[in-house]
Amino acid sequence: MSASRAAAWAVADPYATALRTGRGPLFLRRSDGWLLPLEVERWCARADAVDRAVLDRCEGAVLDVGCGPGRLVAELAGRGRTVLGIDVNEAAVDHTGRLGGQALRRSVFEPLPGEGRWGTVLLMDGNVGIGGDPRALLDRVNRLLCPGGLLIAETVAVDVDERSEVQVVDGAEGRTGGGAFPWARLGTPALLRYAARAGWGADGQWTGGGRRFVALRSLPRSRIRVGGESLIASSSAEPPNSTAVISSQRARKPSADRPVADR
């Protein structure tokens, strides 16, 4: 999803309001009227036992894509881990900072710090649907990870492979915020199919608390897939210059294994 398409989610006022209050009801609404409930209360709470078990699997520096109000970033920071959250919504970034985490207001498809050096990327809470194009998202995540890096994604509990245009809807008042934006819903079988076609290695799948998760290993840096084709690429990756908003209460020192730094 381009920065302009991400803006539709970023200015979705009902979403920002829900994050500030810590409660819904909030939905994604398809053009046919179907509603997908968003678990605002869980997202705004502290990391639960299922979340913590997922975070136990993280390796190296962690990038939480679509971090929302920052419960996972805060949990990892509390463990002393190097972690950065990114989200296109200002309220989400602010909330993460108040929890003591570090976050950027940024789309995953925009330049990010530490590209090619992250040990783990998280796509939790349905964020495997970001951009509405699973192949493009997997390609992008592969370029963010170090060679052999780990992607942990949360999938839908049923076997579904769906792409649609959605809007954020306030369930109490029926208000919508921003324009429609592309989204995808993937079950575990669908995600594994996309990953296999792109050359990712399967590293495990599990369930917890009624939620489902998949772990994948990134491609060797010399074989990045772009548009379905395998390309040769350098193993080095320099973090791009950035003017993005950073919310942080922790000083960071950049190094080869710590790609997060105050900018």
Side-chain angles (χ1 to χ4, degrees):
M1 178 166 49
S2 68
S4 61
R5 297 305 298 275
W9 175 271
V11 299
D13 290 341
Y15 178 69
T17 300
L19 293 192
R20 292 189 183 101
T21 62
R23 61 182 184 273
L26 200 67
F27 302 89
L28 292 183
R29 184 175 67 191
R30 289 191 318 217
S31 57
D32 62 3
W34 182 85
L35 296 175
L36 173 67
L38 301 180
E39 299 182 71
V40 176
E41 289 82 1
R42 180 171 64 80
W43 299 348
C44 290
R46 293 288 180 172
D48 61 21
V50 176
D51 294 328
R52 294 193 296 272
V54 170
L55 300 183
D56 288 343
R57 296 172 178 257
C58 290
E59 303 170 357
V62 182
L63 180 67
D64 184 5
V65 175
C67 65
R71 75 186 191 284
L72 305 179
V73 176
E75 173 67 22
L76 285 169
R79 299 182 182 189
R81 299 291 298 272
T82 299
V83 56
L84 175 69
I86 60 168
D87 203 290
V88 295
N89 187 277
E90 184 175 4
V93 171
D94 291 345
H95 197 285
T96 302
R98 288 194 295 272
L99 293 182
Q102 183 172 353
L104 286 173
R105 187 180 178 186
R106 191 79 63 86
S107 164
V108 66
F109 295 106
E110 295 178 302
L112 293 170
E115 296 203 10
R117 298 204 301 274
W118 294 98
T120 303
V121 169
L122 297 174
L123 288 172
M124 298 280 279
D125 304 326
N127 286 327
V128 71
I130 288 174
D133 186 340
R135 177 187 288 183
L137 184 59
L138 284 172
D139 285 344
R140 176 58 176 147
V141 169
N142 186 69
R143 294 194 295 274
L144 294 171
L145 286 166
C146 64
L150 185 67
L151 166 61
I152 300 178
E154 184 171 354
T155 58
V156 178
V158 295
D159 186 4
V160 62
D161 183 356
E162 172 187 291
R163 307 186 200 189
S164 58
E165 294 277 323
V166 297
Q167 283 184 294
V168 178
V169 179
D170 181 325
E173 301 180 9
R175 294 183 301 115
T176 61
F181 55 92
W183 198 254
R185 295 175 68 237
L186 295 181
T188 293
L191 178 58
L192 290 175
R193 287 194 297 271
Y194 283 111
R197 291 169 191 158
W200 287 75
D203 200 64
Q205 53 182 290
W206 67 98
T207 62
R211 299 160 61 190
R212 296 190 179 186
F213 305 92
V214 174
L216 301 169
R217 288 285 172 189
S218 67
L219 294 166
R221 186 62 59 217
S222 60
R223 293 184 61 247
I224 294 176
R225 293 182 68 85
V226 177
E229 297 183 0
S230 182
L231 304 178
I232 303 299
S234 169
S235 62
S236 63
E238 295 298 326
N241 293 328
S242 168
T243 58
V245 178
I246 297 179
S247 174
S248 174
Q249 298 180 11
R250 298 171 182 268
R252 303 290 187 188
K253 293 183 179 180
S255 68
D257 60 343
R258 295 175 63 87
V260 181
D262 288 339
R263 308 177 92 73

